């Protein structure tokens, strides 16, 4: 991994973003905001999955009331997502949200952006300037997308700086991974505001996951990015779990159990896939940071198990159990998962 | 994306690997190889999903017979995966496989590797030297993993070069993404043999997908890698589809329909997720390379739809249909997917 690029630090409520702060995980609710109980349940699901900042869309005043109600019931910082209506952004800040995401491309011009900035300054609330390839200012739409995103972002930066306002982060989202990567590289070379990474409109299922992991992962590996959101056409807690997998995969953050398991092949005598899934399911609720190897055969099994806290390696229809890198006995397949789960408590 | 690193070109049967050849997609069967009908069905599923090279594990002579039987029934190049038994590698080459994957860490020493090389030379078959963190030579196990992988690979390279044999590619797999990335960067700076990328033992479900996409994606974005395999503790055709999503996401290859769809939020009046899934499912069998935007609301919808071949954008409970970037009418939700699928035929 390349060294993390140095950015200024801002705060979204209690969560620092940028500077030396750990890369944080954000999520956004998908429920209709006015259904406040549904939103509250969704926020709680996301927090359990690991969301450290939650964004909620605020399209109207009824939604704003719902956000106020939700905000008073959760500890996680809440960011209001505002489009078109700058007055709503001001109202949301006064209602106590921890951050506001606005898109200069659809706010209605610099004067309105300035009005939001003044309210944000008054209440000490940070902004996200969210540039999006789907909603660029008209005069930029002829440029290559990455350049247009950067130009749009730099315009907003210039305006905010001219107002002596520096309490913001930037995002430059595109549904095209290469454009998104290019835009963040370019903007990162120009300014030192914290960057919020995400691929927008990533698409359904596997496509969405792969595009988000590529865009966010390539940039983080280059040391670019201070906070991330995975957007999927799918459940919001899956977005949060995917974000954590990116940070864990790159070794940037740690959280819970890591399972290392083989892809299975003709040498798998134990049907390892279902064992790995059982181990993952049983250990998922544990807060412990441990690594478990679940391997089908003696080709790579002993090597992986010796580097893990616990291991289960198939060998002629039996499971060899490893504890702290050493084999400690054999079990029948049916007992292997239990054996692993019992050993977890012996690790401290 | 950085420029692709220049490597030598080899062939695996009809498929060129390295040099200017497109980055190819590999898969490996998971059925017990001796169940030849099951293997054949699995190979065909993988080919339909886009596998361009298929590897099959050959643990014994009965499996070798099965591979011979399968090989005569498919066009896709077949690579035999051999561990421990160098004679089996020689027999597989004589049986007509297009490539052999061996792991110098468990073949039993340089003399046996040399024997395999001589047979490969005789039959014009390329090798993959597959180094794996789970099965390194004993004397390398004390080194940091990335360095140990590189050292093991360079030992094999030196031996093969001393035999005037250059018809091989390298892989350096680790279950740790950062180690795998680091190892490939290091080896890529030292030699110009084609590189086969993969994260080994990536784990079940989401974890496995994210780790594979990170390791492979970060390297490809740096211009490193000539052929890829995604390993998941999951179905082999999912591995192949994930590999294609990586190549498509980075713009390195194109294949079939690309759906751009929003993550949905409070502004989604159409329940876009199920529409996006329907569009994806209905268009998946098409060979056409088209981009379809399926978007919930007018914030980013018109922008995305104007850059796609076809579009569907929610607006007050109706779907605005886009054709070649322009709105052409409104449909009720129930008719929207049909409208899109009918328009596909009007694109040529």
């Amino acid at each position: 991994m390349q060294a993390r690029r140095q950015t200024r630090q801002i705060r979204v409520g209690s969560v620092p973003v940028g500077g030396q702060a750990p890369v944080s995980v954000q999520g956004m609710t998908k429920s209709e905001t006015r259904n406040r109980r549904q939103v509250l349940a969704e926020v709680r699901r996301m927090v359990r999955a690991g969301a450290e900042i939650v964004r909620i869309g605020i399209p109207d005043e009824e939604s704003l009331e719902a956000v106020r109600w939700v905000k008073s019931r959760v500890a996680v910082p809440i960011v209001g997502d505002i489009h078109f209506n700058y007055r709503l952004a001001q109202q949301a800040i006064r209602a106590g949200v921890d951050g506001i995401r606005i898109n200069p491309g659809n706010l209605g011009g610099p004067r309105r952006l300035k009005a939001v900035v003044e309210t944000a300054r008054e209440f000490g609330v940070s902004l996200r300037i969210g540039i999006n390839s789907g909603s660029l200012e008209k005069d930029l739409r002829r440029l290559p997308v990455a350049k247009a995103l950067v130009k749009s972002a730099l315009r907003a930066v210039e305006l905010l700086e001219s107002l002596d306002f520096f309490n913001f982060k930037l995002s430059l989202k595109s549904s095209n991974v290469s454009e998104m990567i290019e835009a963040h590289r370019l903007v990162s070379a120009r300014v030192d505001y914290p960057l919020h990474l995400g691929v927008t409109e990533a698409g359904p299922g596997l496509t969405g996951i792969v595009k988000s992991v590529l865009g966010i992962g390539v940039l983080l590996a280059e040391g670019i990015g201070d906070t991330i959101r995975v957007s999927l056409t799918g459940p919001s807690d899956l977005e949060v779990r995917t974000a954590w997998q990116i940070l864990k995969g790159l070794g940037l953050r740690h959280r819970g159990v890591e399972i290392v398991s083989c892809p299975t092949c003709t040498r798998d005598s134990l049907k390892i896939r279902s064992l790995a899934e059982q181990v993952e399911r049983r250990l998922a609720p544990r807060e412990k940071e441990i690594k478990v190897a679940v391997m089908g055969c003696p080709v790579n099994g002993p090597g992986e198990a010796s580097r893990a806290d616990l291991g289960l390696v198939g060998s002629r229809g039996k499971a060899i159990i490893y504890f702290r890198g050493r084999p400690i006995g054999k079990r029948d397949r049916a007992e292997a998962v239990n054996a692993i789960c019992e050993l977890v408590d012996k690790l401290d």
Side-chain angles (χ1 to χ4, degrees), chain A:
Chain A
M1 301 301 104
Q2 288 176 239
R4 175 118 168 257
R5 194 190 63 115
Q6 196 54 43
T7 53
R8 304 175 190 223
Q9 188 171 95
I10 65 165
R11 284 183 168 268
V12 181
S14 56
V15 176
V17 174
Q20 299 299 326
V23 177
S24 50
V25 170
Q26 307 213 11
M28 183 172 178
T29 58
K30 293 166 190 257
S31 315
E32 252 195 270
T33 307
R34 59 185 76 184
N35 298 336
R36 61 189 198 178
R37 285 179 194 285
Q38 209 177 315
V39 173
L40 179 61
E42 189 178 2
V43 171
R44 288 184 170 150
R45 266 199 311 279
M46 292 163 77
V47 169
R48 275 196 299 275
E52 298 171 308
I53 296 171
V54 171
R55 180 159 50 117
I56 307 180
I58 307 180
D60 50 36
E61 294 193 21
E62 199 183 337
S63 303
L64 179 59
E65 275 319 297
V67 168
R68 193 199 302 267
W69 184 87
V70 169
K71 165 83 189 142
S72 68
R73 281 159 179 80
V74 296
V76 69
I78 299 292
V79 173
D81 192 72
I82 305 278
H83 290 277
F84 309 119
N85 189 336
Y86 78 104
R87 287 191 189 280
L88 211 45
Q90 294 176 303
Q91 287 172 273
I93 294 169
R94 293 195 194 101
V97 298
D98 301 287
I100 287 284
R101 185 260 177 152
I102 48 177
N103 179 335
N106 64 30
L107 206 65
R111 270 202 319 161
R112 291 174 174 183
L113 180 56
K114 189 174 160 180
V116 176
V117 163
E118 291 314 328
T119 313
R121 191 200 315 273
E122 187 185 341
F123 287 79
V125 158
S126 64
L127 299 183
R128 165 150 74 100
I129 302 301
I131 313 294
N132 194 304
S133 63
S135 50
L136 285 163
E137 297 101 306
K138 282 210 177 71
D139 66 308
L140 297 177
R141 290 184 194 160
R142 260 168 273 167
L143 292 176
V145 174
K147 286 203 174 125
L149 289 167
V150 173
K151 205 150 189 171
S152 177
L154 292 179
R155 268 187 199 168
V157 166
E158 207 172 313
L159 180 62
L160 295 175
E161 288 181 342
S162 76
L163 299 170
D164 260 335
F165 187 82
F166 311 98
N167 190 17
F168 63 92
K169 60 187 190 240
L170 296 172
S171 67
L172 292 80
K173 294 194 178 181
S174 167
S175 58
N176 177 298
V177 173
S178 311
E179 288 169 2
M180 175 269 188
I181 292 173
E182 178 67 6
H184 283 90
R185 283 181 183 155
L186 291 171
V187 85
S188 161
R190 297 285 297 271
V191 296
D192 68 352
Y193 296 99
L195 295 178
H196 165 116
L197 305 184
V199 177
T200 191
E201 278 77 81
L206 185 63
T207 315
I209 293 176
V210 173
K211 284 172 75 172
S212 283
V213 177
L214 285 174
I216 294 170
V218 166
L219 287 167
L220 287 176
E222 293 179 12
I224 296 175
D226 300 286
T227 182
I228 66 174
R229 181 205 170 190
V230 170
S231 333
L232 304 174
T233 312
S236 50
D237 53 328
L238 177 63
E239 297 182 343
V240 172
R241 280 187 282 123
T242 305
W244 271 102
Q245 295 289 354
I246 295 172
L247 297 179
K248 285 165 69 175
L250 292 174
L252 293 172
R253 301 279 304 267
H254 300 279
R255 185 184 156 87
V257 174
E258 182 192 358
I259 310 280
V260 167
S261 72
C262 68
T264 79
C265 70
T266 185
R267 293 181 300 269
D268 172 15
S269 63
L270 278 190
K271 300 196 190 304
I272 276 297
R273 183 176 160 194
S274 101
L275 292 186
E277 286 167 355
Q278 285 173 52
V279 170
E280 183 166 63
R281 201 164 42 241
R282 296 258 311 259
L283 297 185
R286 306 278 190 140
E287 296 286 312
K288 274 191 178 171
E289 282 176 21
I290 53 169
K291 182 170 168 183
V292 184
V294 183
M295 303 285 298
C297 86
V299 169
N300 297 315
E304 290 293 345
S306 71
R307 300 204 293 144
D309 297 301
L310 298 173
L312 182 171
V313 177
S315 175
R316 302 170 193 212
K318 294 266 188 186
I320 303 173
I321 305 294
Y322 283 70
F323 181 73
R324 292 209 176 106
R326 295 179 185 284
I328 57 163
K330 274 190 188 182
R331 291 285 185 288
D332 285 336
R333 184 180 188 282
E335 298 157 15
V337 173
N338 273 340
I340 291 291
C341 294
E342 282 162 17
L343 285 170
V344 170
D345 295 315
K346 299 206 177 149
L347 294 163
D348 40 73

